[in-house]
Amino acid sequence: MILDVFRPAVAENVDPIAKMQTDAVTSRRADWGHWGPSPEKYSSWKTHSNRLIPVYTFGIDLDSVSGKNSLYRDASAIEKLYGYVPENTVNPKAEYFDQTDVYRLQTSAIESGKKRVILFVFDGMDWDTTRVAAIARSGKIYHEGRGEGLHFLDYHGAKTDFGYCVTSPHNEGTSVDVNNQTVVNPDGKLRGGYDASLGGDAPWRPVVDADYPIGKSKKTKHAYAESSATATSLTSGIKTYNDAMNVDFMGREVLPIARKLQDDGFAIGVVTSVPISHATPGCAYGNNVHRNDYQDLTRDLIGRPSVFHPGGLPGVDVLIGGGWGIDKDKDGAQGDNYVPGNKYVAADDLSAIDVNNGGNYVVAQRTPGVAGPKVLSEAVRKAKESDNRLFGYFGAQGGHLPYQTADGNYDPVVSYGSSKPEKAEVYSEADLHENVKLDQMAIAALDVLDSRSDRWWLMIESGDVDWANHSNNIDNSIGAVHSGDDAFAAVVSWIEQHGGWDETALILTADHGHYFNLDRPDAFAPKPIK
């Protein structure tokens, strides 16, 4: 049952991490960390990087893809993956593997007899982001390896493994036409690849060239990751251009694992703390030449005719996420078929899928004056009793769930904008009361999927980690990781109570990293209360 509501913690003392964030933005420097290549500035880079990304598995291991089996040791395998051999990318000693191997791990898990697969994506969470969140929660400081201090770092109730992967895309700089769903310049402007001699051969190794992870090195330039290209690697097992949604570098359709499994009788679920058709959740199921065609991607997810699939796809069994209340009259990025209104789902599409109108989804939306968990719980009950699908739609500012901050509250402080401080989000009592948490969304999805089939695939995305990191906000980032970690703990508890790990595989990773550098880990260790 889903009973909790957002309950801000009672703070007896000044929140130290919130103060650290505020002071860093005000002074533009911090001795404990910085974002980007310059240690002299708190914020010198606000987007993604080419760093190696952690992968944690539960119920399966990484032996088939890492170490001696790494494709980065084999030039022919690299050429098959990218379509070319990127400069300085072959590494005979590579322990790391490729992000597309996460797709292959999922298919291998099914082939080995697993009936339940969970892909848990912490969007934008690289190794240093994980480490600072773990230290803030537990006070345990580590300097390399898997580490400890979070549920997903410490859990050993199943076979578990840890490794790290390359997230580089096929290329950057491709132009597209969303109306015709075509690619204009498939070669783009900058190719992918990974040079371990510059970027490091493990996530904790020093970056030799600080400009390399952002594609600006004078020695070797490789395109750095973007969410939809990396999500496509996770779900479809290919390298593609930045902004692609399950299409290859030429714009040709590729089938994500969810659709292949659905054809074989699996139930399919997608859960996210950010808008329902953003890059990662959209790539769980849909196709599009550009990630910003949100309404069409939602149409794919819910089985409505879209620009890429005029006849419509079958749609997923469960879709729960954000985007509620975000309205826009015009959106040129979405093409000529954009419908004014909600940016992520057109009103006529939402009406058509509702069981009250003859559709096959029980719809649970944020409802004024009603606790979000109550709305979602009732929808879960109805979906299970009537053997229908479930669509849950929530959110606050920007369409995402309210940010949990490092102290467990929901009271963000100032972030760092493009060139100056930007205002903190402020949540009303209604924002907190009428929304749900990621762990509640995840359990709702598990309950409905399990009622529909004994075989299912589920993506869970902790998407607000990425949003917090784009804002160079360490307080929000830590809180977002903790929120996702709580969801992992809830999922693990559910698995243990519903058949265990014999038929279940869970892969937890990120789609890409940012560029936070933790310079003084002890600054985040909890201090004793005097």
Side-chain angles (χ1 to χ4, degrees):
M1 293 293 290
I2 305 165
L3 299 174
D4 295 340
V5 294
F6 285 86
R7 297 189 186 279
V10 177
E12 297 179 356
N13 300 290
V14 174
D15 176 6
I17 295 178
K19 186 177 187 304
M20 290 163 66
Q21 169 67 18
T22 301
D23 290 347
V25 170
T26 302
S27 65
R28 302 194 178 186
R29 292 195 63 174
D31 67 344
W32 44 261
H34 63 281
W35 306 81
S38 174
E40 302 303 315
K41 298 179 181 179
Y42 178 60
S43 173
S44 62
W45 187 252
K46 290 179 57 60
T47 189
H48 309 164
S49 77
N50 213 15
R51 293 161 123 182
L52 295 172
I53 292 300
V55 179
Y56 312 83
T57 59
F58 304 88
I60 58 174
D61 59 44
L62 294 167
D63 293 348
S64 64
V65 299
S66 62
K68 65 180 182 180
N69 292 318
S70 171
L71 64 83
Y72 282 94
R73 298 187 180 199
D74 182 350
S76 61
I78 293 174
E79 184 172 16
K80 182 178 180 181
L81 177 65
Y82 287 91
Y84 51 88
V85 180
E87 184 180 4
N88 298 334
T89 295
V90 178
N91 179 6
K93 297 181 179 180
E95 293 295 321
Y96 50 85
F97 46 97
D98 192 70
Q99 189 169 51
T100 55
D101 288 320
V102 174
Y103 168 85
R104 283 176 273 282
L105 288 168
Q106 295 171 77
T107 59
S108 296
I110 296 296
E111 291 168 358
S112 72
K114 300 290 187 181
K115 293 183 177 181
R116 312 186 300 192
V117 174
I118 300 171
L119 178 61
F120 203 132
V121 182
F122 281 68
D123 196 310
M125 184 184 73
D126 51 27
W127 186 79
D128 255 353
T129 303
T130 307
R131 182 167 65 134
V132 71
I135 293 169
R137 170 159 274 184
S138 69
K140 298 176 180 178
I141 296 174
Y142 59 94
H143 298 282
E144 62 180 38
R146 178 174 183 145
E148 56 184 337
L150 295 170
H151 295 299
F152 67 79
L153 298 178
D154 298 340
Y155 182 74
H156 295 282
K159 175 194 291 185
T160 183
D161 207 350
F162 164 71
Y164 30 96
C165 68
V166 173
T167 64
S168 181
H170 179 277
N171 69 275
E172 158 65 22
T174 294
S175 300
V176 302
D177 181 333
V178 294
N179 290 315
N180 295 311
Q181 289 293 299
T182 54
V183 165
V184 177
N185 58 329
D187 290 331
K189 298 178 181 179
L190 182 63
R191 286 181 164 186
Y194 186 74
D195 187 341
S197 70
L198 300 181
D201 60 1
W204 49 88
R205 299 273 196 265
V207 175
V208 174
D209 184 338
D211 288 326
Y212 173 72
I214 57 176
K216 295 185 177 182
S217 172
K218 295 179 180 178
K219 300 176 182 178
T220 302
K221 287 185 173 65
H222 289 135
Y224 61 84
E226 172 277 331
S227 289
S228 57
T230 54
T232 296
S233 290
L234 293 171
T235 60
S236 293
I238 67 161
K239 292 290 189 187
T240 189
Y241 63 89
N242 282 344
D243 296 325
M245 300 286 288
N246 289 329
V247 296
D248 69 10
F249 75 101
M250 295 286 290
R252 298 170 296 202
E253 179 180 15
V254 290
L255 291 179
I257 187 171
R259 297 229 304 273
K260 294 180 180 179
L261 294 178
Q262 187 177 51
D263 288 343
D264 196 32
F266 279 65
I268 303 299
V270 181
V271 168
T272 179
S273 60
V274 298
I276 50 174
S277 52
H278 251 239
T280 306
C283 273
Y285 196 81
N287 303 94
N288 205 286
V289 296
H290 201 281
R291 58 174 292 173
N292 289 348
D293 198 1
Y294 298 118
Q295 288 184 348
D296 272 313
L297 286 161
T298 298
R299 291 179 182 113
D300 282 352
L301 285 159
I302 59 177
R304 295 284 294 162
S306 71
V307 66
F308 205 101
H309 298 284
L313 294 173
V316 301
D317 295 85
V318 177
L319 177 60
I320 313 173
W324 182 92
I326 306 302
D327 295 337
K328 196 169 183 179
D329 291 336
K330 298 179 181 179
D331 192 345
Q334 298 205 43
D336 295 341
N337 69 339
Y338 177 73
V339 178
N342 187 270
K343 182 176 179 178
Y344 301 101
V345 59
D348 56 348
D349 290 320
L350 185 56
S351 177
I353 67 169
D354 195 323
V355 291
N356 294 322
N357 300 320
N360 57 358
Y361 286 85
V362 175
V363 175
Q365 293 194 70
R366 177 177 170 178
T367 304
V370 184
K374 181 179 180 180
V375 172
L376 187 55
S377 288
E378 181 63 15
V380 169
R381 183 189 64 79
K382 289 181 179 178
K384 291 171 66 176
E385 289 181 354
S386 61
D387 192 27
N388 276 299
R389 295 174 167 187
L390 174 64
F391 178 89
Y393 206 34
F394 299 90
Q397 294 183 38
H400 60 83
L401 298 183
Y403 280 128
Q404 176 179 306
T405 46
D407 65 349
N409 276 306
Y410 295 87
D411 52 357
V413 294
V414 65
S415 295
Y416 196 91
S418 298
S419 60
K420 61 183 179 180
E422 58 186 25
K423 291 182 179 180
E425 291 190 3
V426 178
Y427 307 122
S428 67
E429 183 177 340
D431 286 333
L432 301 180
H433 181 66
E434 295 165 7
N435 271 300
V436 291
K437 299 179 182 179
L438 184 62
D439 59 348
Q440 297 161 347
M441 300 161 85
I443 298 304
L446 289 169
D447 284 342
V448 174
L449 289 174
D450 209 50
S451 73
R452 294 180 66 78
S453 176
D454 66 346
R455 298 184 299 161
W456 46 259
W457 180 93
L458 172 63
M459 173 189 281
I460 303 170
E461 186 203 19
S462 183
D464 43 3
V465 179
D466 180 62
W467 292 36
N469 287 352
H470 274 297
S471 295
N472 288 181
N473 190 315
I474 198 63
D475 192 29
N476 288 353
S477 177
I478 291 171
V481 174
H482 290 175
S483 176
D485 190 46
D486 290 342
F488 171 82
V491 168
V492 164
S493 178
W494 187 97
I495 291 170
E496 292 173 343
Q497 296 171 38
H498 293 79
W501 290 98
D502 287 347
E503 295 181 336
T504 306
L506 189 154
I507 303 170
L508 188 152
T509 187
D511 51 351
H512 57 76
H514 281 256
Y515 209 167
F516 175 68
N517 298 274
L518 180 57
D519 299 322
R520 193 161 63 82
D522 64 286
F524 291 89
K527 306 296 188 296
I529 298 175
K530 296 182 179 179

